[in-house]
Amino acid sequence: MANILVTGGAGFIGGNFLHFWAKHHPDDKLIVLDCLTYAGNKSTIAGVEQAELVIGDIRNGKLVEELLRDRNIGTVVHFAAESHVDRSITGPDAFIDTNILGTNSLLKAAKAVWLDEGSGRPHRFHHISTDEVYGSLGLNDAAFSETHPYQPNSPYSASKASSDHLVRAYHHTFGLEVTTTNCSNNYGAYQYPEKLIPLFLLNALHGRSLPIYGDGMNVRDWLHVEDHCRGIEACLKRGISGETYNIGGGEELPNLTVIERICSEVDKAFGAIDGLADRYPDAPAACGRPTSELKTFVPDRVGHDRRYAVDATKARADLGYKPHHDFDSGLAATLRWYIDNEAWWRNIQTTS
């Protein structure tokens, strides 16, 4: 039995991790630290009996120390982050505060309890990061490996790069036991509808435009969130302290292709699910028209990276990591989850 502190556990990836971990490790205790910003919601982790929600800020070092000490926690899995690139462009300060200062606060607390107090207990600080820290690839460039230079191009990716460096520094300077995973684009259940897939799914259901940046040919590697959780589990079990591992889905696709598949899945859903046209009468598919008519090209985003792709060879070889979901079936399941869980996304849109 282990006691694990999960920061940002009421968010998208953190919430999925809680559901995954509780299913596969039912004897473990999960302490969730989340300040419940717009992207964090109690309903995301409803039903996870092993989870105890503590509403608080990761920048509150005293609170983190108390949790580590009083709950006898030996593992931190650090998801808490501001993660939306568009928001980082219009308001970068929140990204500096949470992603850099917040991570530093957590590391200081971990050092204080696990090292400075001399307990000598085994511990692990696992940091969740992104492939965006590596910058942008050309269409024919090799995928990002763990040794690729850091070249962040947005306030978001710069703040995550900074947090990665802090985690590395606490290991090399103080001896804190750490691992880091850099993941590609996640998708799946419980994702806040500001990201491409849930945003376009809900826009399609409501007959709203599907705004495509630039020419739509920006390429991303798509990773089902459950496969990401599987990679984190493998890293916690077999990862070597001080090491970084790339976690990818192996599904490299242009945004325009992703959007076309969303349109196709929505069209198929209206033909297969009874009553869907009555629930969403404004959708083109409700009256037999193609969802693709909602596609609209808009000016490109400032500093929009052209391509991300990760080389997960190290994770496969050292951790035994292997994604289980292909994009087509994962996307279909994601669409069905949003259709079946309308109350969840309507609630978060109302309360955010």
Side-chain angles (χ1 to χ4, degrees), residues 2-278:
N3 297 329
I4 302 173
L5 178 65
V6 182
T7 72
F12 164 47
I13 306 177
N16 275 281
F17 176 79
L18 288 178
H19 286 279
F20 177 90
W21 199 267
K23 177 181 178 181
H24 295 278
H25 306 272
D27 294 330
D28 288 353
K29 176 69 175 177
L30 301 164
I31 298 89
V32 180
L33 178 60
D34 201 302
C35 60
L36 298 182
T37 61
Y38 75 95
N41 196 282
K42 293 179 182 179
S43 63
T44 296
I45 57 175
V48 183
E49 295 182 0
Q50 298 100 305
E52 172 193 355
L53 176 61
V54 177
I55 300 174
D57 196 312
I58 59 173
R59 293 172 296 175
N60 185 342
K62 181 179 179 182
L63 171 61
V64 177
E65 286 190 29
E66 290 174 352
L67 289 173
L68 294 177
R69 190 180 297 114
D70 297 345
R71 303 297 202 281
N72 194 30
I73 292 168
T75 301
V76 171
V77 185
H78 176 34
F79 294 97
E82 295 285 346
S83 64
H84 190 46
V85 174
D86 286 359
R87 288 177 184 262
S88 82
I89 293 169
T90 58
D93 288 359
F95 291 74
I96 305 304
D97 288 344
T98 299
N99 299 353
I100 301 177
L101 300 181
T103 299
N104 186 57
S105 178
L106 286 171
L107 290 164
K108 285 171 60 180
K111 173 180 175 292
V113 175
W114 290 339
L115 299 180
D116 297 348
E117 294 178 3
S119 68
R121 68 164 300 158
H123 64 268
R124 174 68 63 85
F125 186 104
H126 183 72
H127 176 56
I128 312 300
S129 191
T130 171
D131 57 0
E132 295 192 41
V133 300
Y134 299 126
S136 183
L137 290 170
L139 292 179
N140 297 316
D141 290 343
F144 297 128
S145 72
E146 290 82 357
T147 59
H148 192 281
Y150 273 39
Q151 297 173 318
N153 290 323
S154 71
Y156 161 62
S157 57
S159 68
K160 289 298 291 183
S162 298
S163 66
D164 291 7
H165 293 321
L166 283 169
V167 172
R168 174 184 170 86
Y170 268 77
H171 171 72
H172 285 276
T173 301
F174 304 115
L176 197 69
E177 300 292 322
V178 307
T179 43
T180 296
T181 47
N182 293 80
C183 67
S184 56
N185 273 38
N186 280 228
Y187 71 98
Y190 300 109
Q191 189 170 32
Y192 188 82
E194 64 184 356
K195 299 298 179 75
L196 190 153
I197 288 178
L199 174 65
F200 278 45
L201 287 174
L202 299 190
N203 279 9
L205 292 176
H206 292 93
R208 297 191 288 257
S209 67
L210 307 179
I212 304 167
Y213 283 131
D215 62 2
M217 296 306 292
N218 300 75
V219 175
R220 300 293 182 263
D221 173 25
W222 291 93
L223 170 65
H224 193 282
V225 67
E226 186 177 89
D227 285 328
H228 186 189
C229 295
R230 188 172 290 108
I232 296 167
E233 178 190 46
C235 190
L236 289 173
K237 286 182 175 181
R238 295 180 285 277
I240 297 172
S241 180
E243 291 294 321
T244 296
Y245 302 90
N246 285 342
I247 306 295
E251 296 278 0
E252 209 179 322
L253 297 168
N255 286 346
L256 190 57
T257 298
V258 173
I259 293 162
E260 289 169 346
R261 292 189 187 179
I262 292 170
C263 292
S264 176
E265 287 298 329
V266 171
D267 290 344
K268 287 192 289 187
F270 274 84
I273 301 174
D274 291 340
L276 199 59
D278 294 330

